[in-house]
Amino acid sequence: MSLFAMGFLLVLLQPSTGQFPRACANRQSLLRKECCPPWDGDGSPCGELSGRGSCQNILLSLAPLGPQFPFSGVDDREDWPSVFYNRTCRCEGNFIGFNCGECRFGFSGVNCTERRLRTRRNIFQLTTSEKDKFLAYLNLAKNTLSQDYVIATGTYTQMNNGSNPMFGNINVYDLFVWMHYYASRDTLLGGSSVWRDIDFAHEAPGFLPWHRVFLLMWERQIQKITGDENFTIPYWDWRDAEDCTICTDEYMGGRHPTNPNLLSPASFFSSWQVICTRSEEYNSQQALCNATSEGPLLRNPGNNDKSRTPRLPSSAEVEFCLSLTQYESGSMDKTANYSFRNTLEGFADPQTAIANGSQSGLHNALHIYMNGSMSQVQGSANDPIFVLHHAFVDSIFERWLRRHRPMLEVYPAANAPIGHNRENYMVPFIPLYRNGEFFKLSRELGYDYEYLQEPALDSFQDFLMPYLERAREIWGWLVGAAVIGGIVTAVLTGLILSCRKKRRGTSSEIQPLLVESEDYNNISYQSNF
């Protein structure tokens, strides 16, 4: 295993995707507020000469936000990414990327015209070689410098409004750890003041679309640095598990023999260093995480606060969550009741869907249960179990989408917490993605889940189910309409028969039409329940 992993470390450094494009992390780009790098294929900005895209002004949503963040103009993430750039590449067709140099998710080929569907599989269904390859890929990402992207090590104000750029290098794996931190960090208000009730990736409608994009980007970067175009993230199905079944040296690292908070020396994850875990220190210094190593990966599964999370989630709790018909409700934050999103995220009771601040269910339960690096929001992506866990959470989101078939309008267009409206761009992704763009079936984004690949009949039943449920809800109205329709039909039939009898007694002269033919186009027909 170790030789296999070391072999991958010899691969040449490859590009990665994430936050600030290296080509735009300079004084000129910041002062011009423009991030439109050239595409290598033709050397023109955004590949414009090849019809891939063009440099355009960013179109920001004007929809009102919720009341959770009472400030304006104090956080670099507001109206992302306009504090740093107000012109970026707008790609055409199936092209995407900060320079339109890649294909949209679900497409491939030289011109991005080939549809492609990949399948994410249960990690316990992988062969030994497939599993070892996945672990080696993780280690490779941790030891491969990102060539295309850098991270911000200071705020825009600390950069003197762009005239003094503050950016740093980072490896591919930690780039995604940093992005998760940056989206969920507190707002620095100056002095020693911070605002904690803000999160661009959690506690609001964008939680599921944001992590869906995060996983897709992470998956794509593993494909790029390894050259393995068929790679997909495996998932861990934790329903009804009695303990952390993947916390073994064969998989994600076992427990240290003498220190229960550390990983076993037999796992190469025991040598991993974490970043972005000291939020209170950053807040007191009014600083950003600069990706400095902060110690070993911590994990002590099961030795968590049992009053908050007594066990891992059950199948029954997942099924109850899936039965909820509302994606979002009320204040659209962690106090929302009967919200599928809030229940799956874990701020609402998985048996009643009522918000409960003293309990952590479903998604949150896993984080608390791990009792270590994964249990602190901003630094939780340090633990590689994070991607396995969120892949399964995404599969539950996918099941809900397939069962209820919501229209895009179901996703809130306005009054959600900052950054979570339908047309808001997700922080801190460049290229830009809107929340609503990922409120769709996974197959449209080029991937599926092994355990969701059902026979055609079951898929058809799933398709019909939401319509049957809606019909059942209005059954009384349908019966009433049928009765009234029958009465109207009987009356009309009687009138027609009466008219025919009268016609037989008059001349056979042809009667004129009530509406001339040229006026038919002006008739509008409506039917209402």
Side-chain angles (χ1 to χ4, degrees), residues 155-180:
T155 65
Y156 191 68
T157 298
Q158 291 167 350
M159 295 184 194
N160 195 20
N161 297 331
S163 63
N164 180 34
M166 298 173 64
F167 297 98
N169 292 321
I170 196 166
N171 67 61
V172 173
Y173 187 92
D174 285 350
L175 172 66
F176 286 86
V177 177
W178 189 91
M179 286 195 294
H180 191 266

Side-chain angles (χ1 to χ4, degrees), residues 66 95 102 132 135 209 250 265 278 302 305 319 368 370 447 483:
F95 298 116
E102 298 181 348
D132 288 347
L135 299 180
E250 182 183 1
R278 300 174 180 173
D305 181 359
E319 291 304 314
I368 299 299
M370 289 303 163
Y447 72 100
V483 172

Side-chain angles (χ1 to χ4, degrees), residues 139-152:
N139 212 35
L140 174 63
K142 188 74 170 178
N143 291 276
T144 300
L145 184 71
S146 171
Q147 288 189 339
D148 276 4
Y149 281 86
V150 292
I151 61 170

